[in-house]
Amino acid sequence: MASLGDLERSVMDLLWDSAEPLTANDLRDDLAALGTDAKELAVTTVLTVLARLEKKGLVERERSTRPHRYAACSSREDHTVGLLNEALGSAQDREAVLARFIGGITADEAASLRAILDSVKSA
Amino acid sequence: MASLGDLERSVMDLLWDSAEPLTANDLRDDLAALGTDAKELAVTTVLTVLARLEKKGLVERERSTRPHRYAACSSREDHTVGLLNEALGSAQDREAVLARFIGGITADEAASLRAILDSVKSA
DNA sequence: GACGATTTCGACAGCTTGTAGAAGTCGAGC
DNA sequence: GCTCGACTTCTACAAGCTGTCGAAATCGTC
């Protein structure tokens, strides 16, 4: 799984948060609105990033409409889960890692984890 | 947290697996023994990588002995947990991610997770 | 003080990411 | 059909990261 740079990440966040596919211009504006720096990127910059994200398989492009419209291929959660599995990856010590990891989550999260485990178990 | 290249990762794996600190020569030999390619790296290559890992805070160096000896700063598990938290990190939807994640682990892991959760809860 | 082992410095290639100008293409309106 | 502006593609470049070392400095020993 490919790692993302700062700008790529920002673009993905916008796409993930958007219900509709967005155009490069939409994204340029949204990016400018995001940072307090108010720095406007060139549209070509956004397009380059989108092309790279497309090549990485993270973004789909509608070529039928004239301003092409871009959307994330998978949800943010699925992407994050991919990252988690990659981090855990080939580690043979998965359980040891999980043990330490559990130690660091909040009580609320532990509770919901337990609930999730229970529902999975019954399935 | 810094991500690791292939060689850096191999070196860290060796250091994590070793009970004792290792020298650059040890590592060069171990690396050659690892890959079936039997390609020997120059010692300076290993030293460069070790210096970079030290700068990243992943490796400690004993300068007192003449062939310097290198050891991992933290355990592989701790490092992996760091990666996990980094992956989860920016996500405000931690629970959603955890839910999907649980769906992907093995039954055995789910069982041990439950056990871990129980022990944490009682603590 | 010289010599061999070891470390440090500097270097270079290849890849990734941010950034964008220049040039090509496409659709709408004349 | 032809033109014009919007949109996309191509190409490029700088910075940073990683793998890879050779050359030069250093250190301990004989």
Side-chain angles (χ1 to χ4, degrees):
Chain A
M1 181 163 302
S3 63
L4 300 180
D6 290 342
L7 181 52
E8 290 176 333
R9 174 73 199 190
S10 297
V11 168
M12 287 309 299
D13 275 336
L14 287 171
L15 292 178
W16 277 324
D17 285 341
S18 165
E20 310 244 315
L22 300 176
T23 70
N25 275 308
D26 292 340
L27 287 164
R28 180 190 19 76
D29 296 344
D30 290 352
L31 286 170
L34 264 191
T36 50
D37 48 358
K39 174 176 77 168
E40 284 258 310
L41 291 175
V43 188
T44 52
T45 299
V46 180
L47 282 164
T48 300
V49 169
L50 284 168
R52 288 174 184 165
L53 289 172
E54 191 187 18
K55 189 186 298 183
K56 291 182 185 179
L58 294 175
V59 155
E60 265 175 348
R61 164 193 331 220
E62 275 182 47
R63 281 195 155 84
S64 51
T65 67
R66 178 48 174 167
H68 295 180
R69 295 159 69 80
Y70 300 81
C73 284
S74 57
S75 74
R76 191 204 317 264
E77 291 78 25
D78 284 343
H79 179 254
T80 306
V81 168
L83 290 182
L84 287 184
N85 279 315
E86 193 175 75
L88 230 59
S90 52
Q92 56 286 78
D93 47 10
R94 287 172 69 102
E95 300 194 9
V97 171
L98 288 177
R100 266 193 192 59
F101 176 66
I102 296 303
I105 66 178
T106 69
D108 279 359
E109 285 168 343
S112 70
L113 245 194
R114 192 189 315 276
I116 294 162
L117 271 175
D118 286 343
S119 68
V120 167
K121 166 194 187 178
S122 60
Chain B
M1 182 163 304
S3 64
L4 299 181
D6 290 341
L7 182 52
E8 291 176 333
R9 174 75 198 188
S10 298
V11 168
M12 287 309 298
D13 275 336
L14 287 172
L15 292 179
W16 277 323
D17 285 340
S18 164
E20 311 245 314
L22 299 176
T23 71
N25 275 308
D26 292 340
L27 286 164
R28 178 188 23 70
D29 296 343
D30 289 353
L31 286 169
L34 264 191
T36 50
D37 48 357
K39 175 176 74 165
E40 285 258 310
L41 291 176
V43 189
T44 51
T45 300
V46 180
L47 283 164
T48 300
V49 169
L50 285 168
R52 287 173 184 167
L53 289 171
E54 192 187 17
K55 189 186 298 184
K56 291 182 183 179
L58 294 175
V59 156
E60 264 175 348
R61 163 190 335 215
E62 275 182 48
R63 280 196 155 86
S64 51
T65 67
R66 178 50 176 167
H68 295 179
R69 296 159 70 79
Y70 299 81
C73 284
S74 58
S75 74
R76 191 205 318 266
E77 292 78 25
D78 284 343
H79 179 253
T80 306
V81 168
L83 290 182
L84 287 184
N85 278 315
E86 192 175 75
L88 268 176
S90 49
Q92 56 285 78
D93 47 10
R94 287 172 68 102
E95 300 195 9
V97 169
L98 288 176
R100 267 193 191 60
F101 176 67
I102 296 302
I105 67 178
T106 69
D108 279 358
E109 285 169 343
S112 71
L113 245 194
R114 192 189 319 275
I116 293 162
L117 272 175
D118 286 346
S119 67
V120 166
K121 168 194 187 180
S122 60

